[in-house]
Coordinates of all heavy atoms in Angstrom, one line a residue:
H1264 N 106.8 10.1 3.4 CA 106.7 10.1 1.9 C 107.3 8.8 1.5 O 108.5 8.6 1.6 CB 107.4 11.3 1.4 CG 107.2 11.4 -0.1 ND1 107.7 12.5 -0.8 CD2 106.6 10.6 -1.0 CE1 107.5 12.4 -2.1 NE2 106.8 11.2 -2.3
S1265 N 106.5 7.9 0.9 CA 107.0 6.7 0.4 C 105.9 6.0 -0.6 O 104.8 6.5 -0.5 CB 107.3 5.7 1.5 OG 106.1 5.3 2.2
H1266 N 106.3 5.0 -1.3 CA 105.4 4.3 -2.2 C 105.5 2.9 -2.0 O 106.1 2.1 -2.8 CB 105.7 4.8 -3.7 CG 105.6 6.3 -3.9 ND1 104.5 6.8 -4.3 CD2 106.5 7.3 -3.6 CE1 104.6 8.2 -4.3 NE2 105.8 8.4 -3.9
L1267 N 104.8 2.4 -0.9 CA 105.0 1.0 -0.4 C 103.6 0.2 -0.5 O 103.6 -1.0 0.1 CB 105.6 1.0 1.0 CG 107.0 1.6 1.1 CD1 107.4 1.6 2.6 CD2 108.0 0.9 0.2
I1268 N 102.7 0.7 -1.1 CA 101.5 -0.1 -1.3 C 101.6 -0.7 -2.7 O 101.6 0.1 -3.7 CB 100.2 0.7 -1.2 CG1 100.0 1.2 0.2 CG2 99.0 -0.1 -1.6 CD1 98.7 2.0 0.5
P1269 N 101.7 -2.0 -2.9 CA 102.0 -2.6 -4.2 C 100.9 -2.4 -5.3 O 99.7 -2.6 -4.9 CB 102.2 -4.0 -3.9 CG 101.5 -4.3 -2.5 CD 101.6 -3.0 -1.8
G1270 N 101.3 -2.1 -6.4 CA 100.4 -2.2 -7.6 C 99.5 -1.1 -7.9 O 98.7 -1.2 -8.8
I1271 N 99.7 0.0 -7.1 CA 98.7 1.1 -7.5 C 99.4 2.4 -8.0 O 98.8 3.4 -8.3 CB 97.8 1.5 -6.3 CG1 98.6 1.9 -5.1 CG2 96.9 0.3 -6.0 CD1 97.7 2.4 -4.0
D1272 N 100.8 2.3 -8.0 CA 101.6 3.4 -8.7 C 102.9 3.0 -9.1 O 103.0 1.8 -9.4 CB 101.7 4.7 -7.8 CG 102.5 4.5 -6.5 OD1 103.0 3.3 -6.3 OD2 102.7 5.4 -5.7
D1273 N 103.9 3.8 -9.2 CA 105.2 3.4 -9.7 C 106.1 2.9 -8.6 O 107.3 2.8 -8.7 CB 105.9 4.5 -10.4 CG 106.1 5.8 -9.6 OD1 105.4 5.9 -8.5 OD2 106.9 6.7 -9.9
G1274 N 105.5 2.6 -7.4 CA 106.3 2.1 -6.3 C 106.5 0.6 -6.4 O 106.6 0.0 -7.3
V1275 N 106.5 -0.1 -5.1 CA 106.8 -1.5 -5.1 C 105.7 -2.3 -5.8 O 104.6 -1.8 -6.0 CB 106.7 -2.0 -3.6 CG1 107.9 -1.4 -2.8 CG2 105.4 -1.7 -2.9
K1276 N 106.2 -3.4 -6.3 CA 105.2 -4.2 -7.2 C 104.5 -5.4 -6.4 O 103.5 -5.8 -6.9 CB 106.0 -4.8 -8.4 CG 106.8 -3.8 -9.2 CD 105.8 -2.7 -9.7 CE 106.6 -1.7 -10.5 NZ 105.7 -0.5 -10.9
T1277 N 105.1 -5.8 -5.4 CA 104.6 -6.9 -4.6 C 104.5 -6.7 -3.2 O 105.2 -5.9 -2.6 CB 105.4 -8.2 -4.9 OG1 106.6 -8.1 -4.2 CG2 105.6 -8.5 -6.4
I1278 N 103.7 -7.4 -2.4 CA 103.6 -7.3 -1.0 C 105.0 -7.7 -0.4 O 105.3 -7.1 0.6 CB 102.5 -8.3 -0.5 CG1 101.1 -7.7 -0.7 CG2 102.6 -8.5 1.0 CD1 99.9 -8.5 -0.4
Y1279 N 105.6 -8.7 -1.0 CA 106.9 -9.1 -0.4 C 108.0 -8.0 -0.5 O 108.8 -7.9 0.4 CB 107.3 -10.4 -1.2 CG 106.4 -11.5 -0.9 CD1 105.6 -11.9 -2.0 CD2 106.3 -12.2 0.3 CE1 104.6 -12.9 -1.8 CE2 105.3 -13.2 0.4 CZ 104.5 -13.6 -0.6 OH 103.6 -14.5 -0.4
Q1280 N 107.9 -7.3 -1.6 CA 108.9 -6.1 -1.7 C 108.6 -5.0 -0.6 O 109.5 -4.5 0.1 CB 108.8 -5.5 -3.1 CG 109.3 -6.3 -4.2 CD 109.1 -5.8 -5.6 OE1 108.4 -4.7 -5.7 NE2 109.5 -6.4 -6.6
S1281 N 107.3 -4.8 -0.5 CA 106.9 -3.9 0.6 C 107.3 -4.4 2.0 O 107.9 -3.6 2.8 CB 105.4 -3.7 0.5 OG 105.0 -2.8 1.6
A1282 N 107.1 -5.6 2.3 CA 107.4 -6.2 3.5 C 108.9 -6.2 3.8 O 109.3 -5.8 4.9 CB 106.9 -7.6 3.6
Y1283 N 109.8 -6.4 2.8 CA 111.1 -6.4 3.0 C 111.7 -5.0 3.3 O 112.5 -4.8 4.3 CB 111.9 -6.9 1.7 CG 113.4 -6.9 1.9 CD1 114.1 -7.8 2.6 CD2 114.1 -5.8 1.3 CE1 115.5 -7.8 2.8 CE2 115.5 -5.7 1.5 CZ 116.1 -6.8 2.2 OH 117.5 -6.7 2.3
I1284 N 111.1 -4.0 2.7 CA 111.5 -2.6 2.9 C 111.1 -2.2 4.3 O 111.9 -1.6 5.1 CB 111.0 -1.7 1.9 CG1 111.7 -1.9 0.5 CG2 111.2 -0.2 2.3 CD1 111.1 -1.2 -0.7
L1285 N 109.9 -2.5 4.7 CA 109.4 -2.2 6.0 C 110.2 -3.0 7.1 O 110.4 -2.3 8.2 CB 107.9 -2.6 6.1 CG 106.9 -1.7 5.4 CD1 105.6 -2.3 5.3 CD2 106.9 -0.3 5.9
E1286 N 110.6 -4.2 6.8 CA 111.5 -4.9 7.8 C 112.8 -4.2 8.0 O 113.2 -4.1 9.1 CB 111.7 -6.3 7.2 CG 112.6 -7.1 8.2 CD 112.8 -8.5 7.6 OE1 113.0 -8.7 6.4 OE2 112.8 -9.5 8.4
Q1287 N 113.4 -3.6 6.9 CA 114.6 -2.9 7.1 C 114.4 -1.6 7.8 O 115.3 -1.2 8.5 CB 115.3 -2.7 5.7 CG 115.5 -3.9 4.8 CD 116.3 -5.0 5.7 OE1 117.3 -4.7 6.2 NE2 115.7 -6.2 5.7
F1288 N 113.3 -1.0 7.5 CA 112.9 0.3 8.2 C 112.9 0.0 9.8 O 113.2 0.8 10.6 CB 111.6 0.8 7.8 CG 111.8 1.7 6.6 CD1 112.9 1.8 5.8 CD2 110.8 2.6 6.1 CE1 113.1 2.6 4.7 CE2 110.9 3.4 5.0 CZ 112.1 3.4 4.3
E1289 N 112.2 -1.2 10.1 CA 112.1 -1.6 11.5 C 113.5 -1.6 12.2 O 113.7 -1.1 13.3 CB 111.4 -2.9 11.6 CG 109.9 -2.9 11.6 CD 109.3 -4.3 12.0 OE1 110.1 -5.2 12.1 OE2 108.1 -4.2 12.3

């Protein structure tokens, strides 16, 4: 459960935000 595809809901706004969070998850 996450909202990491940018620009289609109230989750991350940019690809870079998504990438940073995924990097921390790694």
Side-chain angles (χ1 to χ4, degrees):
H1264 187 174
S1265 65
H1266 299 269
L1267 297 179
I1268 296 180
I1271 62 174
D1272 66 358
D1273 60 343
V1275 295
K1276 303 306 177 188
T1277 69
I1278 284 175
Y1279 299 103
Q1280 290 174 357
S1281 180
Y1283 178 78
I1284 291 172
L1285 289 169
E1286 181 180 39
Q1287 301 313 303
F1288 275 14
E1289 276 190 348

